[in-house]
Every structure is written in C-alpha cells, then in structure tokens.
Amino acid sequence: MTGSSATPRPPEPAQGTTSSVAPATGRDDDPTTVGVLDTAEAGAGGVSLAPENPVSTPPTVEGMPGGATPFGRIPVTEVRPLVEGGSLPAKSVEGEEFVVAARVFREGHDAVNATAVLTGPDGREHHFPMHPDNPGLSWWSATVVADSPGWWTYRVEGWSDPYATWLHDAEIKIGAGIDEELMCAEGVTVLERLRTAVAGQGADTTAVDEGLTALRDTSRPAAARFAVAASDDLRGLAALLPLREFVSPTREFTLLVERERALFGAWYEMFPRSEGARKDDETGEWVSGTFRSAAMRLPAIADMGFDVVYLTPIHPIGTTARKGRNNSLVSEPGDPGSPYAIGSPDGGHDALHPDLGTFEDFDHFVAQAQENGLEVALDIALQASPDHPWVQTHPELFTTRADGTIAYAENPPKKYQDIYPLNFDNDPAGAYAEVRRVIQVWLDHGVRIFRVDNPHTKPVAFWQWLIADVAKEHPETIWLSEAFTKPAMMHALAKAGFQQSYTYYAWRNARWELEEYGRELAGEPAAYMRPSFWPTTHDILTPYMQYGGPTAWKLRAAVAATMAPTYGIYAGYELMEDVARPGAEEQIDNEKYEYKDRQWYLYEPGGPLEGQSLAWYLKRLNDIRGWHPALRWLRNLTFHSADDENVLVYSKSRVVDPSTGERDTVLVVANLDPHATRETWVHLDLEAMGMATWSTFDAHDHVTNQTWEWQQDNYVRLGPDTEPVHIIHVRSH
C-alpha cells in the first residue's frame, strides 16, 4: 500500500548546500527629498516612512581589503538578532514581539537616533523608533512585531537628529545666558524644516507653529521662548514624525515569519497500534489497533486541550533481526517489532502497516483529528529495516562495508542489526529526491507537521534543502527536531530550518539548571531555535520521574507547559507510568516493542480507577495556556527569586491592548522537591511585570482557584500535601 505523488525535482548533483534565502540588497534612496513618518500607513505596531533627506549611501571605496563594506555616514554596527552573520534568517511567528538592537553612534556631539525597519512580503515598510538602552555603550533597541507569515526583511537605520541636537545645545546655552538670540534663530531654522516634514504627512502642525511663533518673538525672554519650542507636545510630535538627516541603513537581513503553531502548541504522542489493541479471548494473541480505533481516542485528547496528535511511525515493520519485548535481541511469535525498523515486502516509508489499515483509513483519522481541532504530526525516521524495498531498489542509499554487507546502526557497544542508516553521500541528488518524494506522499494526505527522529545523524545541508523545498508549496509545514546531541548540532539544525527542537528539559531538575537553561533558550537562540519541553518520551524516563511520585508528574508537566510555549507528553503520562526497565531510563514493557492496552475507560468517571489519572490536571494546564496570551511566547520569560533553592519562580508578561497598556501576566511558583513540602519567601521583580515596586495585586491561583493579595515579597507553602505549583494570574489593582 503505497501513496503516490509527483516526484519533485532533485537538487543538482554538485550543488552542495546553499541557503534558500535570497541575498540581501542595500538601499539607494533619493537623497533630495524630506522624510517623515506616514501615520496613515501605520501597521504591525510601526509606521511607514516617506523617502529621507538626505540619505547617506555608503561610498564605494576602491581597494578595501576583502571587499569590506564601508561605514555609513552614521555608523551602525552589531545588529541583533543576526543568525550566522545574516546569511541565515532570523525567525518569529505572526504577532510575536522581539527586540532588534544595534550600536549607533557618530563623531562629535550632535544627537543621533535610530529606527528599526521591517519590510513585509508585500514590500510595505513598518518603522519602529529605537531608544537608547545604554548611551555610554551606544546600544539602541526597539521591540518590533511582524503581523503576517512570510519572508520579511529588517534593517537598522542610524540618523542624525537636528531637533534633538538643537534642544541639547539650546538648553545649555540659553540656560547659561550664552548666544541666546543665535540659538533661537537656529531653532527657527530647524523648526521650519520640521514643519515642512510634518505638514507633508498631513499631520497637525499646531505645536510646531507655536514653537516658531515663540522663537521669533524677540519681546519675550529667550528662556520662555525656548520652553515653548521644547514643549512636551512638540517633543512628542518630533519623536513620532522625526526630522532625519544622513540616514544610514544597514543591509537588509532576512526574517522568516511563520504561523503561531511553529512556536506555540501542546503535543500528545501515541502509538496508533496500541489504541484499540486487545488480546483475543480465544487465542490469547494480540490484535493490533487501527487508524479507525485510534481515531476514537481523539475526542479525549482534544478534551484535554492538546493541539497536536503525534503518531510514531506507521509504516510496515521488518522481520529481519526484529527486536523482542524490552529491546531483547530475540523476538517471540506475535511480537510486533519496533516501528522504527521501517520497511518490509509490504512497503517502506511511503506505505502503511497493513494492520493499521488503508490510506482511506488514514485519511479518516486525519479528518477526525481536524474535526476535533487537532493537527496530525507524523514521525519521520530516515532509516530502514533490512527488509525495506530500498535495499533492493536503491542500494546506493546505504553504506556497503568491505565485506559486501550493508552497515547497520551502531552506538558501540550497542548494535542495532534491525536498522540500516541512510547514506546521503553516495548519490546526493538521488537520496534527496527519494526522501522528498516520500514527504510529498504525506503532504498529499494532509500532514503538515513532521517530527524527525535523529536528524543529527543526517547532513545538515540535506535538511536545509528539504525544509526549504517543501516550504515552496507548503510554507505552513512545521518540522520538530528530535536531536539529543551536542548543542552545536542542535543549533545548526534550527538555523537550517527546523521550526522546533527537543531539549534537555527532561534532565534539568534543579533550580539553577532550569534558570540557566531558560535564560539561554529565551535569549539569543530564540531568534532561530524554538524549544519543545517533554517531561518523558517513549525513550526517556528519568530517575526524577521514576521516584518522584505523583507530585513529580504534576510538577514537570506544569513547568513544561508554562515555561516553554510548546510542550508535549507521551501517552500514559496521565497514568504516571513510572516503572523503568532495569538498567535503562525508559519504561519497562516499552511500547516500542509491544502493544499496550491502557483501558482508558477504567479511569473515566464512574470507573474503578477514577481519580488515578492526571487527565484532569493536563486539561487544566492546557486551559490555562488557552486563557493566557503571555504563555504563547518564549522571549518574555523572567526569573524571580526565592529564599529556598528548591523553589523556582518565573513569570511571563505581555501587553494585550496597546491602546490601554493592559497586560496579561502569569506568575509560576514551583517546589522542585517532589518529596517534601517547603515553606519559603519569594521575591518578585514587579517592574518586570509592568508594576511599580510598591504595588500590590490579586494573585489568583488557577490550580487551587484561591486568590491572595500579594506584593513584592510573599510567603508560599508548596509540596505533596498541597500542590507543588502555583500558576498565578496577576490581577493588578
């Protein structure tokens, strides 16, 4: 049973890796026009600008070593974010705020200013005034946002600010009684130019006119005239519609803006063969679940609030060297084998396991998922069983050893005789094309999310090409990298195009580890790498989860769901399956090697095991995520302090109504010790949450539904005999 689709054009054999991003180009603006902000063209939080006066186009300098680009008239350096020097795109999702920063300075003492400019796919520019973060170090920044998916660009423009320069000089000299009339006369010259600029934008010039009238009135003291020309109204107008000279733009840097699911989502992993699996009463043999029976589980998954249902591989499984229960080297009759040993005479990566059903059944599953508000993510494991059709039809996809045998997977001393890794170097064009053909099969059947198994064992160049090629027709496609490996490779895969990445969250348990890791992930890497937090997977069951009891399972899910915008759980998390296979950090009777009938109905209301499932808690977490826009972002993560080193405190805050400044703020306080109840004081950075340091607020705990009045310092008691985590909605008075 194989799917069909047109074979996409493979890359040229000698192509190597090239970025899918078109080279950035500079600007060549008209240097003779006056530039002001066009408020009528406002969008995405910024405003558009008319052509500038004068624009400083960097001169061509003959013989500069290495073809270096000359500085602009107003130097702009160290732009951030910048991925691989700007050769690869930075990333955001629609509506996500992020910071653009740069060093902006000039010679002498005249005032400089800066603007961040985002250009959308439609060519429309969105201008965001920058502000000085550290004048002594010349750092400027602006919070920017792109409001629609697609390929954008961004740049930073440094410029001379004549009005600010005059304000500074006039305030000093007039205040000291020096050159008072001269400073007023120079002010008239600057304000006349500013008035022309403001009027050209159709804006109200009243404040400028009042300033001009005052400066020209020689019957009044210079200080009084200056006060009118330096009024708050005039300063505000000049900030909104500035008079800009010597505008010096950096080159354009690429920004890929994607749909929100690329950053925010709750995943639920399942083995479809287990959903509906049962033992035959007469034979005692297992009967596999199917897509139809697995679809019956979808309403419960959706009711818990998950967004994505992730299926482990659904392809035919080989029999050669098939692994038995608990990863044993010998399989018994009836053992289904690992779904990661892909390929049999029934087909390969473009086929379905016969026990699961037909493509019609799979399409039914996808349709049922969509009806329940779920997206389907498919596991892509680019490896093959010795029985895979590729072994005969595409032997060049594998590595042949000196003795003529095909190399199987190894992680010495471990050997995986049931899996042949792919080789992308024997015939790169052929390998690229064949995998691209397989991906198209699943795209044609409605899959738009792929979880990729061990991508770090394949060339980064291949992933960069594949993800970009798929995005040509399906830019909404999302790729999750399952690469537990060296940070350099994990970051490279994200830069190459993976929208999301598994992380080391499962092994970060202490407060200092989580704070350090959270700051890292929400920092510079957030421009290209989006973390996905998983407390457990079908391969991972840490000692913390084995021995922490129900408190640990609540705690780790709560932190995952609130610290990272994307998190996931593996089916059975609700049941706290905490028994490990001896000597391994994975579940005993691992579902990778056998069927598992969890009999969910036993845990439903009225069932004999009612109250022994965490389904209600997961639903609560996902409800909280749905209520709070602040939890949909990563870069807004702020850590606070507590006297007890076992208590983790962090918040996320987001302005939800720019017109009023209304904020959505969530504060999380978690006792990381699953074995003991702890009492301590927490100390909050209220300014980071948009409040004054002396403020009080209503702290409404979504977990217990209690509300307290909190302030900067607060007492908490958390642990097994209460709840391990407060998830607090901050309600300002």
Side-chain angles (χ1 to χ4, degrees), residues 399-407:
T399 299
T400 302
R401 302 173 69 96
D403 61 1
T405 62
I406 293 178

PDB file of all heavy atoms in Angstrom, residues 399-407:
ATOM      1  N   THR A 399      25.328   2.307   3.192  1.00  0.00           N
ATOM      2  CA  THR A 399      26.782   2.159   3.204  1.00  0.00           C
ATOM      3  C   THR A 399      27.137   0.682   3.100  1.00  0.00           C
ATOM      4  O   THR A 399      26.677  -0.127   3.924  1.00  0.00           O
ATOM      5  CB  THR A 399      27.375   2.740   4.498  1.00  0.00           C
ATOM      6  OG1 THR A 399      27.063   4.137   4.569  1.00  0.00           O
ATOM      7  CG2 THR A 399      28.883   2.546   4.543  1.00  0.00           C
ATOM      8  N   THR A 400      27.908   0.332   2.096  1.00  0.00           N
ATOM      9  CA  THR A 400      28.358  -1.051   1.914  1.00  0.00           C
ATOM     10  C   THR A 400      29.749  -1.200   2.518  1.00  0.00           C
ATOM     11  O   THR A 400      30.672  -0.453   2.191  1.00  0.00           O
ATOM     12  CB  THR A 400      28.392  -1.430   0.423  1.00  0.00           C
ATOM     13  OG1 THR A 400      27.083  -1.243  -0.131  1.00  0.00           O
ATOM     14  CG2 THR A 400      28.814  -2.877   0.244  1.00  0.00           C
ATOM     15  N   ARG A 401      29.888  -2.185   3.396  1.00  0.00           N
ATOM     16  CA  ARG A 401      31.163  -2.402   4.078  1.00  0.00           C
ATOM     17  C   ARG A 401      32.117  -3.195   3.184  1.00  0.00           C
ATOM     18  O   ARG A 401      31.746  -3.671   2.099  1.00  0.00           O
ATOM     19  CB  ARG A 401      30.924  -3.133   5.396  1.00  0.00           C
ATOM     20  CG  ARG A 401      29.982  -2.374   6.333  1.00  0.00           C
ATOM     21  CD  ARG A 401      29.637  -3.193   7.561  1.00  0.00           C
ATOM     22  NE  ARG A 401      30.813  -3.341   8.420  1.00  0.00           N
ATOM     23  CZ  ARG A 401      31.076  -2.565   9.461  1.00  0.00           C
ATOM     24  NH1 ARG A 401      30.246  -1.584   9.774  1.00  0.00           N
ATOM     25  NH2 ARG A 401      32.137  -2.761  10.191  1.00  0.00           N
ATOM     26  N   ALA A 402      33.350  -3.351   3.647  1.00  0.00           N
ATOM     27  CA  ALA A 402      34.386  -4.014   2.849  1.00  0.00           C
ATOM     28  C   ALA A 402      34.039  -5.461   2.532  1.00  0.00           C
ATOM     29  O   ALA A 402      34.477  -6.005   1.506  1.00  0.00           O
ATOM     30  CB  ALA A 402      35.726  -3.946   3.584  1.00  0.00           C
ATOM     31  N   ASP A 403      33.240  -6.096   3.394  1.00  0.00           N
ATOM     32  CA  ASP A 403      32.895  -7.493   3.139  1.00  0.00           C
ATOM     33  C   ASP A 403      31.639  -7.637   2.287  1.00  0.00           C
ATOM     34  O   ASP A 403      31.110  -8.739   2.114  1.00  0.00           O
ATOM     35  CB  ASP A 403      32.710  -8.255   4.464  1.00  0.00           C
ATOM     36  CG  ASP A 403      31.580  -7.680   5.321  1.00  0.00           C
ATOM     37  OD1 ASP A 403      30.938  -6.707   4.883  1.00  0.00           O
ATOM     38  OD2 ASP A 403      31.367  -8.208   6.432  1.00  0.00           O
ATOM     39  N   GLY A 404      31.120  -6.515   1.776  1.00  0.00           N
ATOM     40  CA  GLY A 404      29.954  -6.563   0.909  1.00  0.00           C
ATOM     41  C   GLY A 404      28.626  -6.453   1.629  1.00  0.00           C
ATOM     42  O   GLY A 404      27.581  -6.366   0.980  1.00  0.00           O
ATOM     43  N   THR A 405      28.643  -6.443   2.960  1.00  0.00           N
ATOM     44  CA  THR A 405      27.387  -6.323   3.708  1.00  0.00           C
ATOM     45  C   THR A 405      27.025  -4.857   3.882  1.00  0.00           C
ATOM     46  O   THR A 405      27.872  -3.968   3.772  1.00  0.00           O
ATOM     47  CB  THR A 405      27.503  -6.984   5.087  1.00  0.00           C
ATOM     48  OG1 THR A 405      28.532  -6.302   5.842  1.00  0.00           O
ATOM     49  CG2 THR A 405      27.860  -8.459   4.954  1.00  0.00           C
ATOM     50  N   ILE A 406      25.756  -4.613   4.164  1.00  0.00           N
ATOM     51  CA  ILE A 406      25.291  -3.249   4.425  1.00  0.00           C
ATOM     52  C   ILE A 406      25.481  -2.940   5.908  1.00  0.00           C
ATOM     53  O   ILE A 406      25.159  -3.765   6.773  1.00  0.00           O
ATOM     54  CB  ILE A 406      23.818  -3.091   4.021  1.00  0.00           C
ATOM     55  CG1 ILE A 406      23.672  -3.227   2.502  1.00  0.00           C
ATOM     56  CG2 ILE A 406      23.260  -1.749   4.475  1.00  0.00           C
ATOM     57  CD1 ILE A 406      22.253  -3.137   2.013  1.00  0.00           C
ATOM     58  N   ALA A 407      26.013  -1.780   6.188  1.00  0.00           N
ATOM     59  CA  ALA A 407      26.277  -1.385   7.570  1.00  0.00           C
ATOM     60  C   ALA A 407      24.973  -1.120   8.310  1.00  0.00           C
ATOM     61  O   ALA A 407      24.112  -0.399   7.822  1.00  0.00           O
ATOM     62  CB  ALA A 407      27.149  -0.137   7.593  1.00  0.00           C
TER      63      ALA A 407
END
